Amino acid sequence: MLKDKRFIVGAVMGVGLAGAVGVGVGLSMPRAEAQPSKAELVRTAAAGPVVFAPPPGAPLSFADIIERVSPAVVSIDVKTHVSAESLRRIPGFENFPFEGPQAPGQGGQGGQGGGQGGEAPELPEQYGSGSGFLISPDGYIVTNNHVVENAEEITVKLQDDRELKATVVGRDEGTDLAVIKIEGKNYPYVQFELQAKPRVGDWVIAVGNPLQLGHTATAGIVSAYGRDIGEQYVDYIQIDAPINRGNSGGPTFDIYGRVIGVNTAIYSPTGYSVGIGFAIPADVADAVTKQLIANGKIERGYIGVTIGDLTKDIAESLNMAGTKGAYITETVPGGPSDRAGLKPGDIVLRMNGQAITSSTDLTRQVGRVKAGEVIHLDVLRGGKAQTINIRSGTRPSEAELARLNSNQDEGGQAAPGAQGVVGTAVLGMNVAPLDAANRKRFSIDNSVNGVVVTANPAPRSDAAKKGLKAGDVIVLADNRPVTSVQELQSIVTALKNAKRPSVLLLVNRDRRNVPVPIDLKD
């Protein structure tokens, strides 16, 4: 695990900190001057040194393509006011040593200290930059959501040095895409390519505004497809055309000048390009931007669950042969799934007849559903198949979901002296009934039911290796509700007699459920 590396995603608002992300190591191309013929390039050993001649399909220069598409690429400057706390939430800057109200790079422009009661006052004006590109002659521009999400004023600079004010048409946090608009007509524009798809190893070109340098072109190749960098609605294209902060929202072109992606993120230990960057594929960007232009927002289906992948360990502990599906760890109280009867421990195998391959697959399929539509989920519960019909709601914003998760995370800490509580030994742990005394002792909410771990597990036990600790509540065992210590013992004994290698426990900690497979070997 490379702890010193991070994904850099987001506009970095601050003097001297350009907002955006970029990508990797590129190829050094010869200056596009008068090109010699292949006969002139290739000489025999007798005549002199052999000079490399590119194979068929490799261009000697990208100049014609870049000259044609560059007028549609714009630089975006954003003015906003942000707090030091907001800057700390930018990925990669959480531990930056902010002092008082100043942002990094401000050089003394700031307010008056840290405010009363330790609260940081609002910072002065902050500036960020990114990239974008025109997709219509009447001024619609695609960029990244993180470039413009906090914008109070947006200025677009065209290749001919004109500067125009822009307004936000719509933003989508789920894909990190946004559409802004400038007034006017007859702008040069480019289009998304929805049919042809470059292969891994094919050339790509990036044009944008890295590090506030203005129009900059770089070239590289498609490194991979289908990269998962933690976003739910996008499988990213990995490219190595160099892009850096400020390239966010800029286009990735193929060698025909067609837009095949929107540059969004880099993977880097330094914050600068090391040759690994990510672009949103054209088909995703095209669908989202069309909806933003039409409606100003994206609405996605919502069923109110927390889900995880059906990993090999979880499948083995449930005596399942495959790992296709999504494991339900929680349902939102009063949400669509809760009302329909979906339960923690259910395994979703199909949605509306279509197989579910992973938790991400289920999230995306639900996201495509309209609010009010009925979703049919085929689930496995206690080894038996059944169908749950759920009427979809509308997915809350990412900020609203974050607040909900934050509320759920409160509490759940073991009280002092908890290690001394007596319990019954099961699976290398001491467990006890979740009575009123233990609820108070371990600060466990009344909505949580099961048996509580009363002491940290034995150091060499599998439970200890898996991170269980005092105050954890075992909610399910083998996907069956645990209502007493005796019930947990009975389930474990039955599985051992059946020669099962492990048991799946659903463990509640800090009001969040986590599936934990525990080894049953003696």
Side-chain angles (χ1 to χ4, degrees), residues 74-89:
V74 303
S75 298
I76 299 173
D77 292 322
V78 174
K79 182 177 79 173
T80 188
H81 290 77
V82 293
S83 65
E85 184 60 32
S86 295
L87 287 173
R88 290 189 185 95
R89 289 197 295 269

Side-chain angles (χ1 to χ4, degrees), residues 301-330:
Y302 175 74
I303 61 173
V305 292
T306 302
I307 54 179
D309 287 332
L310 190 62
T311 64
K312 182 179 178 181
D313 286 345
I314 291 176
E316 184 180 68
S317 66
L318 293 174
N319 203 30
M320 294 180 64
T323 59
K324 303 290 187 183
Y327 184 88
I328 306 296
T329 60
E330 295 175 88

Side-chain angles (χ1 to χ4, degrees), residues 131-317:
S131 304
F133 54 100
L134 286 145
I135 58 168
S136 71
D138 54 348
Y140 285 100
I141 296 169
V142 173
T143 186
N144 280 148
N145 172 66
H146 71 252
V147 173
V148 299
E149 64 178 330
N150 294 313
E152 296 172 8
E153 186 176 296
I154 304 171
T155 302
V156 169
K157 187 173 183 178
L158 306 181
Q159 190 185 38
D160 60 12
D161 289 334
R162 280 185 291 167
E163 294 188 1
L164 303 168
K165 297 301 180 186
T167 56
V168 175
V169 174
R171 302 186 296 107
D172 179 37
E173 296 172 273
T175 57
D176 194 24
L177 287 166
V179 176
I180 61 176
K181 191 176 189 303
I182 53 177
E183 294 303 316
K185 295 181 179 180
N186 301 319
Y187 292 111
Y189 66 97
V190 289
Q191 294 178 310
F192 290 111
E193 174 52 48
L194 304 179
Q195 301 299 323
K197 183 178 179 180
R199 300 165 299 168
V200 172
D202 279 346
W203 292 102
V204 289
I205 302 160
V207 183
N209 176 32
L211 306 173
Q212 295 182 308
L213 292 172
H215 272 69
T216 299
T218 55
I221 62 168
V222 174
S223 301
Y225 280 102
R227 291 301 195 206
D228 180 359
I229 61 173
E231 301 297 330
Q232 298 182 90
Y233 297 105
V234 183
D235 284 325
Y236 291 87
I237 307 169
Q238 182 182 330
I239 64 175
D240 76 345
I243 56 177
N244 285 283
R245 292 176 299 180
N247 274 110
S248 277
T252 305
F253 295 105
D254 64 14
I255 59 171
Y256 299 99
R258 304 175 298 201
V259 180
I260 58 104
V262 181
N263 299 319
T264 296
I266 60 171
Y267 187 59
S268 171
T270 64
Y272 296 95
S273 171
V274 295
I276 302 176
F278 304 95
I280 301 166
D283 58 343
V284 174
D286 179 67
V288 170
T289 54
K290 283 178 177 174
Q291 289 185 60
L292 291 177
I293 291 170
N295 304 317
K297 61 181 180 179
I298 302 294
E299 288 190 349
R300 294 186 172 91
Y302 175 74
I303 61 173
V305 292
T306 302
I307 54 179
D309 287 332
L310 190 62
T311 64
K312 182 179 178 181
D313 286 345
I314 291 176
E316 184 180 68
S317 66

Side-chain angles (χ1 to χ4, degrees), residues 127 221 354 361 374 389 440:
Y127 295 88
I221 62 168
Q354 185 172 338
D361 185 27
V374 175
N389 299 317
K440 182 177 180 180

